[in-house]
Amino acid sequence: GENVEQHPSTLSVQEGDSAVIKCTYSDSASNYFPWYKQELGKRPQLIIDIRSNVGEKKDQRIAVTLNKTAKHFSLHITETQPEDSAVYFCAVEIQGAQKLVFGQGTRLTINP
Amino acid sequence: DTGVSQDPRHKITKRGQNVTFRCDPISEHNRLYWYRQTLGQGPEFLTYFQNEAQLEKSRLLSDRFSAERPKGSFSTLEIQRTEQGDSAMYLCASSPGHYNEQFFGPGTRLTVL
């Protein structure tokens, strides 16, 4: 089945710096790649997603890049703020199965 | 609130008891998913409905678990003869079907004593 690896597991950056989280996947047929942010005790919140027909998507301080050849995609957060502190999960939609397979999560801490 | 809702938010039960959770998806979303999340892990897929049809079940869903979506609107997830290993956050998500986006509810945290 699909295998999604997410790195790093923890990331600490200074406020205002950039943060990058990477995920790799195994099924080359996958074509939908969302990112979720989960604050402590709260629901996973969809923050950005990308489909396989584009290589990059940006929404204000958040961007996602996709390399289908290498089977990896990354989340980029610029000008980080304390409210960006959370656990971030990447996910991959299994082709034809409609379900998401999630990475292990990255705990991002923004230091003031 | 027009988002996905789940009830109850917390459930504490004794081993061997049956529990039932409810999920109300976003209005007009025809796809509904159940996931389970344990501490420090990402959500794991359990089962998925398109309208009232249950189209896929994970091997994680033992015969003690059953899910229904009788009229293609809300869904219930029942766990019979609960075990301590069932303790987790049970998350529901819905999707409009035309696109892939899945929107999650707040979850039901189950604790089995």
Side-chain angles (χ1 to χ4, degrees):
Chain A
E2 175 71 274
N3 186 39
V4 180
E5 296 287 333
Q6 183 172 345
H7 299 280
S9 57
T10 60
L11 180 59
S12 182
V13 302
Q14 287 298 120
E15 183 178 354
D17 288 350
S18 296
V20 180
I21 304 170
K22 295 183 178 180
C23 285
T24 61
Y25 60 98
S26 56
D27 186 354
S28 58
S30 298
N31 58 11
Y32 176 64
F33 310 90
W35 285 90
Y36 287 85
K37 174 184 180 182
Q38 189 173 30
E39 296 175 77
L40 189 62
K42 297 196 174 179
R43 72 186 75 194
Q45 178 189 2
L46 178 65
I47 57 172
I48 197 167
D49 57 15
I50 193 167
R51 291 177 175 81
S52 59
N53 57 345
V54 297
E56 182 173 359
K57 183 177 177 180
K58 189 173 181 180
D59 183 3
Q60 300 182 348
R61 296 186 297 107
I62 296 173
V64 56
T65 58
L66 171 65
N67 184 326
K68 281 223 73 179
T69 302
K71 292 188 283 187
H72 67 71
F73 58 111
S74 299
L75 177 70
H76 306 253
I77 306 174
T78 58
E79 301 172 22
T80 53
Q81 301 168 3
E83 53 265 37
D84 295 329
S85 294
V87 179
Y88 291 80
F89 291 98
C90 65
V92 176
E93 185 182 67
I94 302 301
Q95 176 69 10
Q98 310 298 338
K99 64 184 179 185
L100 296 177
V101 175
F102 285 81
Q104 299 84 354
T106 296
R107 180 173 299 280
L108 176 63
T109 302
I110 307 302
N111 301 309
Chain B
D1 187 356
T2 56
V4 179
S5 62
Q6 293 186 244
D7 183 72
R9 296 290 306 278
H10 304 273
K11 179 69 177 179
I12 300 174
T13 191
K14 293 183 178 179
R15 184 163 52 93
Q17 297 295 305
N18 299 342
V19 294
T20 300
F21 311 141
R22 176 180 171 125
C23 170
D24 287 89
I26 294 171
S27 180
E28 298 180 358
H29 279 195
N30 62 8
R31 292 181 182 168
L32 187 149
Y33 307 80
W34 285 99
Y35 291 84
R36 181 171 67 187
Q37 186 177 28
T38 53
L39 200 60
Q41 301 296 316
E44 293 177 292
F45 171 81
L46 292 178
T47 190
Y48 145 63
F49 291 85
Q50 178 150 332
N51 300 313
E52 65 275 11
Q54 187 173 18
L55 297 186
E56 185 170 348
K57 293 194 292 186
S58 164
R59 56 183 170 79
L60 293 175
L61 217 64
S62 75
D63 57 5
R64 297 185 298 106
F65 288 71
S66 62
E68 294 182 341
R69 195 183 182 196
K71 297 183 179 180
S73 56
F74 73 91
S75 176
T76 58
L77 177 68
E78 181 183 16
I79 308 175
Q80 296 182 326
R81 305 180 303 281
T82 52
E83 302 174 355
Q84 288 185 325
D86 297 331
S87 294
M89 176 74 84
Y90 289 83
L91 292 163
C92 175
S94 71
S95 173
H98 300 295
Y99 306 100
N100 312 80
E101 295 95 336
Q102 295 185 26
F103 300 94
F104 281 86
T108 295
R109 181 168 296 283
L110 173 66
T111 302
V112 181
L113 302 176

